[in-house]
């Protein structure tokens, strides 16, 4: 089948395109650098011709509250309209475990708006909720840093390797629309502060991680289980320690 991957040149998108093509599908990477812009609609009608499935793994270039909301609302609306006109029969979107519990954050309010548009569209859909990727650990540390101190909550987190996310999204894309949410997570549960402390130590990063239950996460307060998936989540195999050892 023809699968168009919006954000297909990014971290998850490029891996997803490769995996789908390996399995005999025609996966097409669609992004501004391939002439497809979901914000303006440029190139959408052309790339969607003959597509059965559209997978949206794109992300906003700006995480400022208004900009990120505009990105997800506008791009999702444009995409859903173009899909309906092209006869696409399955819309798949990648989102984040805990989105509905992180609504103090402008970014997660925008992701919730994206999900709501999809659910209300009438298009058969599947939303894949992934936990935070191993590759984002440094970014979490960076946005939580003040001087040489990283303030982080001891809330629990169950991070996942980006390869495993791409595999889960691929399985969902070629399957029957679930018209709901599928959750994926890594095999190990950590405290967020411990996870970042271990990751920084492995990189000889001199920053000090301070445990602060009130430290915000992308602008939102965390409860102990805010970032954890539910009991029906698909659990991937790659362990954080194994991935981290390969990064040296």
């Amino acid at each position: 089948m023809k699968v168009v991957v919006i954000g297909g040149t990014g971290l998850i998108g490029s891996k997803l395109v490769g995996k789908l093509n390996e399995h005999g599908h025609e996966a097409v990477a669609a992004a501004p650098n391939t002439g497809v812009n979901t914000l303006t609609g440029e190139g959408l009608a052309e790339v969607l011709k003959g597509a059965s499935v559209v997978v949206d793994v794109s992300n906003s270039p700006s995480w400022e509250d208004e900009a990120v909301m505009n990105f997800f609302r506008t791009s999702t609306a444009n995409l859903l309209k173009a899909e309906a006109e092209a006869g696409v029969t399955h819309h798949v979107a990648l989102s984040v475990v805990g989105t509905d519990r992180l609504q103090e954050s402008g970014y997660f309010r925008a992701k919730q708006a994206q999900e709501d548009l999809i659910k209300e569209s009438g298009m058969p859909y599947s939303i894949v909720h992934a936990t935070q990727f191993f590759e984002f650990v440094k970014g979490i540390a960076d946005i939580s840093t003040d001087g040489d101190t990283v303030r982080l909550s001891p809330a629990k987190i169950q991070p996942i390797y980006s390869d495993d996310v791409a595999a889960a999204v691929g399985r969902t894309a070629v399957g029957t629309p679930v018209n709901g949410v599928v959750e994926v997570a890594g095999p190990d549960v950590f405290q967020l502060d411990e996870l970042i402390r271990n990751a920084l130590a492995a990189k000889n990063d001199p920053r000090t991680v301070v445990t602060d239950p009130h430290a915000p996460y992308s602008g939102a307060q965390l409860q102990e289980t805010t970032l954890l998936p539910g009991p029906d989540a698909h659990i991937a195999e790659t362990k954080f320690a194994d991935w981290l050892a390969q990064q040296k």
Side-chain angles (χ1 to χ4, degrees):
M1 65 176 73
K2 180 179 177 182
V3 182
V4 175
V5 181
I6 305 296
T9 59
L11 174 65
I12 299 297
S14 57
K15 294 183 179 198
L16 175 59
V17 167
K19 288 178 186 293
L20 289 170
N21 284 330
E22 285 171 13
H23 285 85
H25 301 287
E26 180 195 352
V28 179
N33 59 3
T34 71
V36 179
N37 189 319
T38 52
L39 272 181
T40 64
E42 177 195 357
L44 268 182
E46 292 79 7
V47 80
L48 293 184
K49 283 178 184 171
S52 302
V53 183
V54 169
V55 182
D56 185 4
V57 295
S58 63
N59 211 343
S60 174
S62 167
W63 284 29
E64 186 274 322
D65 284 6
E66 190 174 337
V68 74
M69 181 64 80
N70 178 64
F71 175 84
F72 281 117
R73 276 189 171 156
T74 304
S75 62
T76 302
N78 286 341
L79 200 47
L80 290 166
K81 180 174 182 290
E83 287 171 23
E85 292 169 353
V88 171
T89 55
H90 189 187
H91 179 97
V92 180
L94 177 60
S95 194
V96 188
V97 164
T99 289
D100 58 336
R101 303 187 289 269
L102 291 161
Q103 292 298 293
E104 289 174 89
S105 161
Y107 180 82
F108 289 102
R109 286 196 298 274
K111 289 299 288 182
Q112 188 65 56
Q114 176 192 27
E115 292 187 26
D116 292 344
L117 282 170
I118 294 165
K119 292 172 183 175
E120 295 161 6
S121 70
M123 172 73 66
Y125 74 92
S126 304
I127 296 171
V128 179
H129 272 190
T131 52
Q132 287 296 346
F133 309 161
F134 295 166
E135 288 87 349
F136 289 175
V137 163
K138 182 180 183 300
I140 293 171
D142 291 348
I143 63 170
S144 307
T145 296
D146 182 10
D148 293 325
T149 300
V150 187
R151 293 191 176 277
L152 288 163
S153 163
K156 291 177 178 174
I157 189 168
Q158 197 167 337
I160 185 170
Y161 181 31
S162 60
D163 260 31
D164 293 334
V165 176
V169 173
R171 283 193 303 271
T172 304
V174 300
T176 304
V178 300
N179 295 314
V181 174
V182 177
E183 289 190 321
V184 293
D188 300 314
V189 178
F190 302 90
Q191 287 185 189
L192 178 59
D193 55 336
E194 262 316 293
L195 174 71
I196 305 301
R197 190 176 287 120
N198 292 341
L200 294 182
K203 291 286 189 181
N204 296 314
D205 189 312
R207 286 178 287 179
T208 302
V209 176
V210 173
T211 305
D212 179 355
H214 303 293
Y217 178 88
S218 286
Q221 293 287 313
L222 296 178
Q223 304 301 316
E224 185 181 28
T225 60
T226 301
L227 302 177
L228 292 183
D232 297 328
H234 172 81
I235 304 302
E237 293 184 359
T238 311
K239 300 175 81 67
F240 181 71
D242 295 338
W243 174 83
L244 192 61
Q246 293 173 352
Q247 305 309 300
K248 294 181 180 178

